[in-house]
Amino acid sequence: MSQPDPADRGGLSIDPGVLRKVVEHSADGVPGTLRVPRKLAGVGIGEQGASARLTLSGKDIDVRLDLALRYPAPVRSTVDAVRVAVSDEVERITGYRVRVVDVTVSALLPETRPRVE
């Protein structure tokens, strides 16, 4: 008995929240991007990296990304690297095609060094 062709076995649906996490994770992995402290009422509650909003159209994705960069950093080349990383990783992992990545750099922050080494 032969196995059915993989395309005939069913479909795959990826939740938009998962796609958003893939986008954010790939953006955070680019050198020069930073995770920034999160605070609520002045109390630290962890860190936040890139924040993405997606618009889906079939298997195409438009991405709006907000992130912080290390200062001083070559902003243009870092943003270009983020666009490439996001597009490549989303397509590799999910099969979706990223049509556009709009990037807003919300902060330029110096790299913090530990007070004690």
Side-chain angles (χ1 to χ4, degrees):
M1 183 170 164
S2 69
Q3 292 284 345
D5 185 73
D8 295 334
R9 293 184 196 166
L12 172 64
S13 176
I14 301 174
D15 186 270
V18 172
L19 292 170
R20 182 178 53 80
K21 290 293 187 185
V22 170
V23 167
E24 292 170 347
H25 181 74
S26 36
D28 285 341
V30 174
T33 63
L34 289 174
R35 298 184 61 78
V36 295
R38 288 180 55 193
K39 292 184 179 184
L40 183 61
V43 177
I45 57 172
E47 291 183 327
Q48 176 179 338
S51 175
R53 286 179 289 178
L54 310 179
T55 303
L56 298 169
S57 177
K59 289 286 190 176
D60 292 333
I61 304 173
D62 295 339
V63 176
R64 294 179 67 190
L65 196 58
D66 188 304
L67 50 83
L69 299 181
R70 181 170 290 122
Y71 178 82
V75 174
R76 186 176 306 268
S77 61
T78 303
V79 169
D80 288 345
V82 167
R83 287 187 176 111
V84 169
V86 166
S87 296
D88 290 351
E89 191 71 355
V90 167
E91 188 168 334
R92 184 183 74 79
I93 290 177
T94 70
Y96 282 75
R97 184 177 75 92
V98 177
R99 292 190 301 195
V100 66
V101 180
D102 288 331
V103 178
T104 299
V105 177
S106 58
L108 289 173
L109 302 169
E111 184 174 359
T112 57
R113 300 195 192 290
R115 297 180 92 168
V116 178
E117 292 185 20

Tab-separated table of all heavy atoms in Angstrom, residues 25-78:
chain	number	residue	atom	x	y	z
A	25	HIS	N	11.094	37.438	17.174
A	25	HIS	CA	12.298	36.690	17.546
A	25	HIS	C	13.415	36.895	16.521
A	25	HIS	O	14.574	37.091	16.880
A	25	HIS	CB	11.973	35.205	17.692
A	25	HIS	CG	13.142	34.384	18.099
A	25	HIS	ND1	13.650	34.386	19.376
A	25	HIS	CD2	13.934	33.546	17.384
A	25	HIS	CE1	14.693	33.586	19.433
A	25	HIS	NE2	14.884	33.061	18.235
A	26	SER	N	13.060	36.862	15.239
A	26	SER	CA	14.097	37.049	14.227
A	26	SER	C	14.645	38.474	14.244
A	26	SER	O	15.846	38.688	14.055
A	26	SER	CB	13.642	36.653	12.829
A	26	SER	OG	12.333	36.933	12.573
A	27	ALA	N	13.803	39.468	14.505
A	27	ALA	CA	14.278	40.851	14.606
A	27	ALA	C	15.200	41.011	15.811
A	27	ALA	O	16.249	41.671	15.719
A	27	ALA	CB	13.102	41.812	14.708
A	28	ASP	N	14.839	40.405	16.936
A	28	ASP	CA	15.656	40.515	18.153
A	28	ASP	C	17.026	39.859	18.002
A	28	ASP	O	17.959	40.194	18.735
A	28	ASP	CB	14.930	39.888	19.351
A	28	ASP	CG	13.794	40.749	19.871
A	28	ASP	OD1	13.769	41.960	19.579
A	28	ASP	OD2	12.921	40.189	20.573
A	29	GLY	N	17.170	38.937	17.057
A	29	GLY	CA	18.434	38.241	16.866
A	29	GLY	C	19.451	38.999	16.032
A	29	GLY	O	20.598	38.565	15.905
A	30	VAL	N	19.068	40.120	15.476
A	30	VAL	CA	19.980	40.889	14.628
A	30	VAL	C	20.913	41.723	15.512
A	30	VAL	O	20.452	42.449	16.394
A	30	VAL	CB	19.181	41.801	13.660
A	30	VAL	CG1	20.117	42.720	12.884
A	30	VAL	CG2	18.336	40.963	12.714
A	31	PRO	N	22.232	41.629	15.277
A	31	PRO	CA	23.161	42.447	16.068
A	31	PRO	C	22.834	43.940	15.913
A	31	PRO	O	22.567	44.419	14.818
A	31	PRO	CB	24.525	42.126	15.436
A	31	PRO	CG	24.346	40.775	14.812
A	31	PRO	CD	22.917	40.747	14.337
A	32	GLY	N	22.848	44.632	17.051
A	32	GLY	CA	22.538	46.059	17.049
A	32	GLY	C	21.147	46.359	17.583
A	32	GLY	O	20.852	47.492	17.941
A	33	THR	N	20.264	45.337	17.619
A	33	THR	CA	18.943	45.540	18.226
A	33	THR	C	19.057	45.294	19.724
A	33	THR	O	19.956	44.591	20.178
A	33	THR	CB	17.874	44.601	17.617
A	33	THR	OG1	18.230	43.236	17.883
A	33	THR	CG2	17.732	44.822	16.129
A	34	LEU	N	18.159	45.890	20.481
A	34	LEU	CA	18.219	45.780	21.946
A	34	LEU	C	16.871	45.378	22.527
A	34	LEU	O	15.824	45.734	22.009
A	34	LEU	CB	18.584	47.130	22.568
A	34	LEU	CG	19.990	47.631	22.398
A	34	LEU	CD1	20.108	49.040	22.966
A	34	LEU	CD2	20.972	46.707	23.087
A	35	ARG	N	16.939	44.669	23.633
A	35	ARG	CA	15.763	44.449	24.473
A	35	ARG	C	15.810	45.547	25.531
A	35	ARG	O	16.869	45.842	26.065
A	35	ARG	CB	15.806	43.063	25.094
A	35	ARG	CG	15.771	41.965	24.024
A	35	ARG	CD	15.725	40.585	24.618
A	35	ARG	NE	14.547	40.365	25.440
A	35	ARG	CZ	13.318	40.101	24.984
A	35	ARG	NH1	13.108	40.041	23.700
A	35	ARG	NH2	12.308	39.903	25.802
A	36	VAL	N	14.683	46.167	25.803
A	36	VAL	CA	14.649	47.285	26.748
A	36	VAL	C	13.846	46.901	27.982
A	36	VAL	O	12.938	46.078	27.916
A	36	VAL	CB	14.057	48.558	26.089
A	36	VAL	CG1	14.965	49.044	24.976
A	36	VAL	CG2	12.675	48.315	25.563
A	37	PRO	N	14.186	47.496	29.134
A	37	PRO	CA	13.439	47.197	30.354
A	37	PRO	C	11.979	47.640	30.233
A	37	PRO	O	11.682	48.682	29.649
A	37	PRO	CB	14.152	48.015	31.434
A	37	PRO	CG	15.444	48.432	30.840
A	37	PRO	CD	15.276	48.434	29.366
A	38	ARG	N	11.083	46.825	30.767
A	38	ARG	CA	9.664	47.187	30.831
A	38	ARG	C	9.341	47.556	32.265
A	38	ARG	O	9.783	46.901	33.192
A	38	ARG	CB	8.788	46.000	30.425
A	38	ARG	CG	8.841	45.695	28.962
A	38	ARG	CD	7.976	44.520	28.613
A	38	ARG	NE	6.619	44.748	29.074
A	38	ARG	CZ	5.699	43.810	29.140
A	38	ARG	NH1	5.976	42.589	28.799
A	38	ARG	NH2	4.483	44.092	29.562
A	39	LYS	N	8.555	48.605	32.423
A	39	LYS	CA	8.156	49.038	33.766
A	39	LYS	C	6.653	49.270	33.791
A	39	LYS	O	6.063	49.719	32.811
A	39	LYS	CB	8.878	50.319	34.170
A	39	LYS	CG	10.356	50.125	34.370
A	39	LYS	CD	11.017	51.378	34.851
A	39	LYS	CE	12.500	51.107	35.054
A	39	LYS	NZ	13.189	52.249	35.612
A	40	LEU	N	6.066	48.965	34.925
A	40	LEU	CA	4.659	49.245	35.164
A	40	LEU	C	4.586	49.977	36.495
A	40	LEU	O	5.019	49.454	37.520
A	40	LEU	CB	3.844	47.943	35.208
A	40	LEU	CG	2.351	48.080	35.389
A	40	LEU	CD1	1.733	48.865	34.232
A	40	LEU	CD2	1.705	46.710	35.461
A	41	ALA	N	4.121	51.199	36.460
A	41	ALA	CA	4.052	52.050	37.653
A	41	ALA	C	5.426	52.174	38.310
A	41	ALA	O	5.553	52.146	39.531
A	41	ALA	CB	3.025	51.499	38.641
A	42	GLY	N	6.474	52.259	37.484
A	42	GLY	CA	7.821	52.447	37.992
A	42	GLY	C	8.509	51.187	38.467
A	42	GLY	O	9.643	51.224	38.918
A	43	VAL	N	7.838	50.034	38.369
A	43	VAL	CA	8.406	48.771	38.832
A	43	VAL	C	8.833	47.950	37.613
A	43	VAL	O	8.042	47.757	36.681
A	43	VAL	CB	7.382	47.970	39.668
A	43	VAL	CG1	7.947	46.630	40.083
A	43	VAL	CG2	6.953	48.784	40.879
A	44	GLY	N	10.068	47.468	37.623
A	44	GLY	CA	10.560	46.651	36.517
A	44	GLY	C	9.807	45.338	36.424
A	44	GLY	O	9.627	44.642	37.428
A	45	ILE	N	9.348	45.010	35.211
A	45	ILE	CA	8.608	43.747	35.012
A	45	ILE	C	9.205	42.928	33.874
A	45	ILE	O	8.517	42.195	33.195
A	45	ILE	CB	7.106	43.996	34.760
A	45	ILE	CG1	6.892	44.911	33.557
A	45	ILE	CG2	6.425	44.531	36.002
A	45	ILE	CD1	5.441	45.039	33.134
A	46	GLY	N	10.518	43.061	33.678
A	46	GLY	CA	11.180	42.272	32.646
A	46	GLY	C	11.689	43.129	31.512
A	46	GLY	O	11.919	44.322	31.666
A	47	GLU	N	11.848	42.478	30.367
A	47	GLU	CA	12.375	43.157	29.187
A	47	GLU	C	11.431	42.967	28.012
A	47	GLU	O	10.652	42.027	27.974
A	47	GLU	CB	13.735	42.585	28.800
A	47	GLU	CG	14.834	42.897	29.767
A	47	GLU	CD	16.163	42.353	29.278
A	47	GLU	OE1	16.200	41.300	28.633
A	47	GLU	OE2	17.162	43.010	29.560
A	48	GLN	N	11.564	43.860	27.052
A	48	GLN	CA	10.765	43.767	25.836
A	48	GLN	C	11.691	43.984	24.651
A	48	GLN	O	12.503	44.900	24.641
A	48	GLN	CB	9.670	44.821	25.824
A	48	GLN	CG	8.866	44.827	24.548
A	48	GLN	CD	7.778	45.879	24.576
A	48	GLN	OE1	7.361	46.316	25.632
A	48	GLN	NE2	7.328	46.274	23.414
A	49	GLY	N	11.541	43.141	23.665
A	49	GLY	CA	12.301	43.295	22.431
A	49	GLY	C	11.429	43.954	21.382
A	49	GLY	O	10.580	44.797	21.686
A	50	ALA	N	11.631	43.545	20.151
A	50	ALA	CA	10.857	44.081	19.033
A	50	ALA	C	9.371	43.789	19.230
A	50	ALA	O	8.994	42.773	19.795
A	50	ALA	CB	11.342	43.463	17.727
A	51	SER	N	8.542	44.695	18.748
A	51	SER	CA	7.094	44.544	18.815
A	51	SER	C	6.553	44.629	17.389
A	51	SER	O	6.837	45.598	16.675
A	51	SER	CB	6.498	45.648	19.684
A	51	SER	OG	5.092	45.578	19.671
A	52	ALA	N	5.782	43.604	16.978
A	52	ALA	CA	5.317	43.538	15.591
A	52	ALA	C	3.802	43.525	15.509
A	52	ALA	O	3.116	43.010	16.384
A	52	ALA	CB	5.867	42.282	14.912
A	53	ARG	N	3.312	44.128	14.425
A	53	ARG	CA	1.907	44.019	14.034
A	53	ARG	C	1.895	43.513	12.604
A	53	ARG	O	2.662	43.992	11.758
A	53	ARG	CB	1.197	45.356	14.137
A	53	ARG	CG	0.930	45.751	15.591
A	53	ARG	CD	0.250	47.070	15.678
A	53	ARG	NE	1.276	48.061	15.297
A	53	ARG	CZ	1.058	49.338	15.208
A	53	ARG	NH1	-0.123	49.822	15.429
A	53	ARG	NH2	2.024	50.169	14.876
A	54	LEU	N	1.040	42.544	12.325
A	54	LEU	CA	1.006	41.901	11.020
A	54	LEU	C	-0.326	42.126	10.331
A	54	LEU	O	-1.367	42.173	10.979
A	54	LEU	CB	1.217	40.386	11.144
A	54	LEU	CG	2.393	39.901	11.973
A	54	LEU	CD1	2.417	38.386	11.999
A	54	LEU	CD2	3.694	40.437	11.440
A	55	THR	N	-0.276	42.211	9.011
A	55	THR	CA	-1.470	42.194	8.184
A	55	THR	C	-1.302	41.026	7.231
A	55	THR	O	-0.313	40.959	6.484
A	55	THR	CB	-1.615	43.509	7.386
A	55	THR	OG1	-1.642	44.599	8.314
A	55	THR	CG2	-2.895	43.505	6.570
A	56	LEU	N	-2.246	40.077	7.282
A	56	LEU	CA	-2.173	38.877	6.461
A	56	LEU	C	-3.093	38.996	5.261
A	56	LEU	O	-4.210	39.499	5.365
A	56	LEU	CB	-2.586	37.644	7.273
A	56	LEU	CG	-1.717	37.331	8.481
A	56	LEU	CD1	-2.378	36.265	9.337
A	56	LEU	CD2	-0.360	36.872	8.040
A	57	SER	N	-2.615	38.492	4.129
A	57	SER	CA	-3.411	38.412	2.911
A	57	SER	C	-3.042	37.095	2.244
A	57	SER	O	-2.053	37.022	1.518
A	57	SER	CB	-3.118	39.596	1.996
A	57	SER	OG	-3.844	39.471	0.799
A	58	GLY	N	-3.807	36.044	2.541
A	58	GLY	CA	-3.454	34.722	2.041
A	58	GLY	C	-2.156	34.282	2.685
A	58	GLY	O	-2.033	34.227	3.899
A	59	LYS	N	-1.147	33.977	1.873
A	59	LYS	CA	0.170	33.572	2.374
A	59	LYS	C	1.171	34.723	2.345
A	59	LYS	O	2.374	34.518	2.443
A	59	LYS	CB	0.720	32.405	1.536
A	59	LYS	CG	0.012	31.102	1.756
A	59	LYS	CD	0.419	30.539	3.085
A	59	LYS	CE	-0.091	29.113	3.231
A	59	LYS	NZ	0.365	28.502	4.461
A	60	ASP	N	0.676	35.953	2.185
A	60	ASP	CA	1.528	37.141	2.191
A	60	ASP	C	1.346	37.893	3.506
A	60	ASP	O	0.243	37.947	4.050
A	60	ASP	CB	1.183	38.076	1.035
A	60	ASP	CG	1.537	37.487	-0.321
A	60	ASP	OD1	2.464	36.660	-0.391
A	60	ASP	OD2	0.893	37.864	-1.310
A	61	ILE	N	2.438	38.475	3.990
A	61	ILE	CA	2.417	39.208	5.263
A	61	ILE	C	3.033	40.584	5.058
A	61	ILE	O	4.087	40.718	4.448
A	61	ILE	CB	3.235	38.486	6.348
A	61	ILE	CG1	2.768	37.053	6.551
A	61	ILE	CG2	3.186	39.246	7.661
A	61	ILE	CD1	3.650	36.267	7.492
A	62	ASP	N	2.369	41.598	5.602
A	62	ASP	CA	2.944	42.934	5.733
A	62	ASP	C	3.244	43.125	7.210
A	62	ASP	O	2.393	42.845	8.062
A	62	ASP	CB	1.974	44.009	5.246
A	62	ASP	CG	1.696	43.913	3.756
A	62	ASP	OD1	2.508	43.319	3.025
A	62	ASP	OD2	0.656	44.430	3.320
A	63	VAL	N	4.449	43.584	7.520
A	63	VAL	CA	4.915	43.684	8.910
A	63	VAL	C	5.161	45.143	9.266
A	63	VAL	O	5.772	45.889	8.502
A	63	VAL	CB	6.225	42.886	9.099
A	63	VAL	CG1	6.766	43.057	10.509
A	63	VAL	CG2	6.038	41.420	8.764
A	64	ARG	N	4.679	45.546	10.448
A	64	ARG	CA	5.031	46.830	11.062
A	64	ARG	C	5.778	46.489	12.336
A	64	ARG	O	5.249	45.810	13.213
A	64	ARG	CB	3.784	47.652	11.353
A	64	ARG	CG	3.082	48.080	10.061
A	64	ARG	CD	1.856	48.872	10.324
A	64	ARG	NE	2.240	50.146	10.926
A	64	ARG	CZ	1.369	50.986	11.458
A	64	ARG	NH1	0.079	50.710	11.469
A	64	ARG	NH2	1.774	52.124	11.969
A	65	LEU	N	7.012	46.946	12.420
A	65	LEU	CA	7.898	46.538	13.497
A	65	LEU	C	8.408	47.763	14.244
A	65	LEU	O	8.794	48.760	13.636
A	65	LEU	CB	9.078	45.787	12.871
A	65	LEU	CG	9.977	44.934	13.716
A	65	LEU	CD1	9.200	43.852	14.440
A	65	LEU	CD2	11.034	44.281	12.833
A	66	ASP	N	8.386	47.687	15.571
A	66	ASP	CA	8.880	48.747	16.439
A	66	ASP	C	10.022	48.145	17.253
A	66	ASP	O	9.833	47.093	17.879
A	66	ASP	CB	7.750	49.220	17.345
A	66	ASP	CG	8.119	50.452	18.135
A	66	ASP	OD1	9.133	50.408	18.857
A	66	ASP	OD2	7.390	51.451	18.046
A	67	LEU	N	11.188	48.789	17.242
A	67	LEU	CA	12.320	48.224	17.973
A	67	LEU	C	13.278	49.301	18.438
A	67	LEU	O	13.218	50.447	18.004
A	67	LEU	CB	13.049	47.186	17.123
A	67	LEU	CG	13.467	47.533	15.705
A	67	LEU	CD1	14.761	48.289	15.677
A	67	LEU	CD2	13.606	46.262	14.913
A	68	ALA	N	14.154	48.897	19.353
A	68	ALA	CA	15.199	49.783	19.881
A	68	ALA	C	16.536	49.309	19.326
A	68	ALA	O	16.758	48.114	19.133
A	68	ALA	CB	15.217	49.732	21.404
A	69	LEU	N	17.416	50.265	19.063
A	69	LEU	CA	18.748	49.952	18.555
A	69	LEU	C	19.821	50.449	19.517
A	69	LEU	O	19.614	51.388	20.266
A	69	LEU	CB	18.972	50.606	17.185
A	69	LEU	CG	18.047	50.182	16.060
A	69	LEU	CD1	18.433	50.899	14.773
A	69	LEU	CD2	18.055	48.682	15.864
A	70	ARG	N	20.962	49.793	19.441
A	70	ARG	CA	22.122	50.182	20.243
A	70	ARG	C	22.691	51.485	19.680
A	70	ARG	O	22.716	51.687	18.468
A	70	ARG	CB	23.167	49.072	20.155
A	70	ARG	CG	24.405	49.335	20.972
A	70	ARG	CD	25.292	48.107	21.044
A	70	ARG	NE	24.625	47.103	21.876
A	70	ARG	CZ	24.321	45.872	21.459
A	70	ARG	NH1	24.605	45.488	20.248
A	70	ARG	NH2	23.727	45.029	22.270
A	71	TYR	N	23.125	52.376	20.578
A	71	TYR	CA	23.719	53.640	20.163
A	71	TYR	C	25.180	53.645	20.582
A	71	TYR	O	25.477	53.247	21.706
A	71	TYR	CB	22.995	54.823	20.817
A	71	TYR	CG	23.609	56.140	20.461
A	71	TYR	CD1	23.295	56.747	19.264
A	71	TYR	CD2	24.531	56.747	21.308
A	71	TYR	CE1	23.883	57.952	18.918
A	71	TYR	CE2	25.122	57.939	20.968
A	71	TYR	CZ	24.796	58.542	19.773
A	71	TYR	OH	25.379	59.724	19.426
A	72	PRO	N	26.122	54.060	19.809
A	72	PRO	CA	25.935	54.442	18.416
A	72	PRO	C	25.877	53.181	17.557
A	72	PRO	O	26.596	52.229	17.799
A	72	PRO	CB	27.169	55.278	18.099
A	72	PRO	CG	28.236	54.712	19.005
A	72	PRO	CD	27.511	54.249	20.253
A	73	ALA	N	25.032	53.209	16.584
A	73	ALA	CA	24.874	52.064	15.678
A	73	ALA	C	24.594	52.600	14.283
A	73	ALA	O	24.016	53.673	14.136
A	73	ALA	CB	23.715	51.188	16.138
A	74	PRO	N	24.989	51.860	13.280
A	74	PRO	CA	24.646	52.264	11.922
A	74	PRO	C	23.166	51.938	11.679
A	74	PRO	O	22.818	50.814	11.337
A	74	PRO	CB	25.583	51.426	11.049
A	74	PRO	CG	25.901	50.226	11.890
A	74	PRO	CD	25.837	50.695	13.321
A	75	VAL	N	22.308	52.903	11.895
A	75	VAL	CA	20.865	52.665	11.889
A	75	VAL	C	20.395	52.056	10.570
A	75	VAL	O	19.696	51.039	10.559
A	75	VAL	CB	20.086	53.969	12.202
A	75	VAL	CG1	18.588	53.767	12.045
A	75	VAL	CG2	20.428	54.458	13.602
A	76	ARG	N	20.757	52.650	9.471
A	76	ARG	CA	20.268	52.183	8.170
A	76	ARG	C	20.659	50.721	7.909
A	76	ARG	O	19.837	49.911	7.514
A	76	ARG	CB	20.760	53.075	7.047
A	76	ARG	CG	20.165	52.742	5.691
A	76	ARG	CD	20.609	53.710	4.616
A	76	ARG	NE	20.369	55.090	4.954
A	76	ARG	CZ	19.283	55.768	4.639
A	76	ARG	NH1	18.321	55.187	3.969
A	76	ARG	NH2	19.151	57.030	4.980
A	77	SER	N	21.929	50.378	8.140
A	77	SER	CA	22.357	49.006	7.857
A	77	SER	C	21.755	48.015	8.855
A	77	SER	O	21.463	46.877	8.489
A	77	SER	CB	23.877	48.896	7.815
A	77	SER	OG	24.443	49.250	9.046
A	78	THR	N	21.556	48.434	10.095
A	78	THR	CA	20.917	47.545	11.073
A	78	THR	C	19.465	47.278	10.691
A	78	THR	O	19.000	46.134	10.722
A	78	THR	CB	20.994	48.142	12.492
A	78	THR	OG1	22.364	48.373	12.832
A	78	THR	CG2	20.381	47.202	13.515
